[in-house]
Amino acid sequence: MNKHLILAADIGGTTCKLGIFDQSLTQLSKWSIETDISDPTGFGLLKQIYDAFVDEMARNNYDMNQVIGMGIGVPGPVKFESGVVNGAVNLNWPQPVNVSEIMQEFVSFPVYVDNDANVAALGEKHNGAGKDADDVVAITLGTGLGGGIIANGEIVHGHNGSGAELGHFRVDHDQRFKCNCGKFGCIETVASATGVMNLVHFYYPKLTFKSSILPLIKEHKVTAKAVFDAAKAGDQFCIFITERVAQYVAYLASIISVTTNPKYIILGGGMSDAGDILIENIKTEYYHLAFTPSQQGTEIVRAELGNDAGIVGAAGLIKTYIIEKERI
């Protein structure tokens, strides 16, 4: 029987997005299930995912013998070679879980596991804003700041899986805000949605700008979206905050530019929805900061896949590490 199907799972703390793809990464089926976090060993959740695939395969008259492999994205640090997730707080996995080994109790085909930010970057490389490029960096601007680096067509993992932890570049050398990692000054503290709020509460008492978001500031209800919306409307304080955030992201992009020299630097996550008020500022600062040869031909673009980046990238693990390797 011809093997041409890929199973993909993007595991989140609330829902698991699941998909079936063909070997060219055309999506054949997509659905989601609630994440079962009751079993701290991970076995219960992975069995739940397997059962969901069995049901969907049967519904579509597919056979497990047609499957090339399964790709899984997980919100935690992953040792790529072994498929071990070194704990995942959002999944109630306090100890390491060998996702690949557990899943292979149910299936006979290969199972590849990686961090969710890495697989999202791989998704954009295959079917999104970085399509057809072998050197791509994705920066996810959400509640935190994450991302992934694709170099020569493959994910950068590093020797222990901590490669491309982009949120933990130190950019705030005054070290004003504590990061979730326990250290101070990480870019996540000044250029994520949380970082926007940090900057608002830090700068507002020090500046003379009037601002339309003052009531939100006083009530501690300010959001990144409110800041960017006010900046678009001409609020000078919010424009100042937006420019500060853009400078930090551009600084990160300039460092990446001389490290891996990507063709595309892709900006995703909820904050990228701010649009030109943020992204054009990032581009302007980037071209001021980045080493001139390294920025030539590099494009800063918005992510295209949205919430589908994870399952596309999970399927992309199989395309990258099995299908394309066999063609060499």
Side-chain angles (χ1 to χ4, degrees):
M1 183 175 289
N2 181 33
K3 290 182 180 290
H4 67 280
L5 298 178
I6 300 171
L7 307 184
D10 177 21
I11 300 178
T14 304
T15 61
C16 297
K17 299 177 183 69
L18 307 177
I20 301 173
F21 294 77
D22 68 15
Q23 57 191 352
S24 65
L25 297 192
T26 299
Q27 188 181 93
L28 305 176
S29 183
K30 180 183 77 169
W31 73 107
S32 63
I33 60 174
E34 288 187 12
T35 304
D36 179 359
I37 62 170
S38 62
D39 181 358
T41 72
F43 184 92
L45 173 56
L46 296 172
K47 177 64 162 58
Q48 177 193 21
I49 290 169
Y50 168 72
D51 289 341
F53 276 125
V54 169
D55 290 345
E56 186 69 12
M57 293 278 285
R59 248 192 306 275
N60 288 279
N61 294 317
Y62 297 141
D63 191 295
M64 282 292 182
N65 291 321
Q66 296 174 285
V67 177
I68 303 166
M70 179 189 296
I72 303 176
V74 181
V78 178
K79 189 73 173 175
F80 182 70
E81 292 79 6
S82 63
V84 173
V85 180
N86 191 25
V89 174
N90 291 345
L91 303 181
N92 186 34
W93 295 355
Q95 304 297 325
V97 173
N98 194 323
V99 172
S100 180
E101 187 176 85
I102 292 173
M103 188 60 80
Q104 298 223 247
E105 293 184 27
F106 311 122
V107 303
S108 58
F109 43 76
V111 177
Y112 281 71
V113 185
D114 213 325
N115 171 265
D116 56 355
N118 285 343
V119 299
L122 192 64
E124 290 289 344
K125 174 255 186 295
H126 278 298
N127 279 12
K131 195 170 184 180
D132 299 326
D134 281 339
D135 296 279
V136 171
V137 173
I139 302 173
T140 303
L141 304 168
T143 304
L145 188 150
I149 296 174
I150 314 295
N152 295 324
E154 296 190 12
I155 296 168
V156 171
H157 295 105
H159 78 93
N160 68 4
S162 298
E165 286 288 352
L166 303 183
H168 301 289
F169 272 86
R170 177 174 286 178
V171 300
D172 179 19
H173 298 295
D174 294 327
Q175 300 179 52
R176 292 168 293 178
F177 313 110
K178 188 175 184 179
C179 182
N180 287 334
C181 75
K183 297 190 176 181
F184 290 80
C186 297
I187 190 170
E188 186 166 294
T189 68
V190 289
S192 62
T194 303
V196 169
M197 290 181 278
N198 285 340
L199 293 176
V200 164
H201 291 296
F202 178 82
Y203 279 114
Y204 194 79
K206 305 176 189 306
L207 299 175
T208 58
F209 294 128
K210 302 290 184 185
S211 178
S212 60
I213 66 166
L214 179 58
L216 295 176
I217 295 172
K218 287 182 174 179
E219 295 173 15
H220 290 271
K221 293 182 178 178
V222 68
T223 63
K225 183 179 186 303
V227 171
F228 296 134
D229 286 347
K232 292 174 191 175
D235 185 297
Q236 289 302 303
F237 175 68
C238 293
I239 290 172
F240 169 80
I241 295 295
T242 301
E243 289 175 346
R244 294 298 296 159
V245 171
Q247 286 166 1
Y248 289 124
V249 176
Y251 178 63
L252 171 62
S254 73
I255 293 171
I256 291 167
S257 201
V258 292
T259 306
T260 66
N261 191 213
K263 169 62 178 171
Y264 296 105
I265 298 173
I266 302 168
L267 304 177
M271 276 177 46
S272 68
D273 293 338
D276 289 349
I277 192 72
L278 178 62
I279 292 174
E280 292 303 317
N281 268 300
I282 291 171
K283 288 181 181 180
T284 299
E285 288 298 319
Y286 169 77
Y287 293 123
H288 286 156
L289 289 169
F291 178 54
T292 301
S294 74
Q295 64 177 255
Q296 291 175 354
T298 294
E299 298 178 48
I300 296 177
V301 296
R302 284 184 66 181
E304 294 180 356
L305 296 180
N307 289 331
D308 284 351
I311 56 169
V312 174
L317 290 172
I318 304 306
K319 181 172 182 180
T320 299
Y321 295 101
I322 296 181
I323 297 171
E324 292 181 350
K325 294 290 186 186
E326 290 177 351
R327 290 176 184 163
I328 296 175

